[in-house]
């Protein structure tokens, strides 16, 4: 969290740390790596449906798991900051 707080207001910017960004990129790439290995190993007959599954898994990981976790954790940390500073939260 970065920002500034004055006596009449302030703003706080919540960001994901660089280490967690790298880990989330690795997690997002797992379905792509898995389909690449499946294509190269030729264990099954390739189906274009696999591409749709990979796209769906990637979007679900990105928007459902990582997005919801960020939203929940950032709201929790902002509430803790508000409690410590004894300020009211005004969303803009």
């Amino acid at each position: 969290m970065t920002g500034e707080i004055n006596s009449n207001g302030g703003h706080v910017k919540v960001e994901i740390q660089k280490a967690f960004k790298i880990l989330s990129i690795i997690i997002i790439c797992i379905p792509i790596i898995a389909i690449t290995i499946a294509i190269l190993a030729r264990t099954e007959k390739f189906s274009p449906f696999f591409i749709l599954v990979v796209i769906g898994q990637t979007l679900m990981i990105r928007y459902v798991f990582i997005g919801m976790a960020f939203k929940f954790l950032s709201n929790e940390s902002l509430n803790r900051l508000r409690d410590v500073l004894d300020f009211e939260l005004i969303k803009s």
Side-chain angles (χ1 to χ4, degrees):
M1 292 191 317
T2 58
E4 63 181 38
I5 298 174
N6 301 329
S7 60
N8 58 354
H11 67 279
V12 177
K13 183 178 179 182
V14 180
E15 293 180 318
I16 298 176
Q17 291 180 351
K18 190 177 282 190
F20 290 114
K21 284 182 185 180
I22 293 170
L23 286 174
S24 65
I25 289 171
I26 291 170
I27 291 172
I28 289 172
C29 289
I30 288 174
I32 298 168
I33 294 169
I35 196 164
T36 305
I37 291 172
I39 290 171
L40 294 176
R42 299 198 187 253
T43 55
E44 293 183 20
K45 182 180 175 186
F46 179 74
S47 172
F49 182 70
F50 288 149
I51 295 173
L52 293 175
V53 170
V54 167
I55 292 171
Q57 286 176 344
T58 305
L59 292 175
M60 191 138 170
I61 289 169
R62 165 60 180 95
Y63 291 107
V64 175
F65 298 128
I66 296 174
M68 288 178 62
F70 177 75
K71 185 175 181 177
F72 174 74
L73 293 174
S74 64
N75 283 338
E76 184 178 315
S77 62
L78 284 174
N79 286 335
R80 275 195 243 152
L81 177 66
R82 183 190 60 164
D83 289 342
V84 168
L85 297 176
D86 198 28
F87 278 173
E88 287 188 34
L89 184 64
I90 300 173
K91 294 182 180 182
S92 59

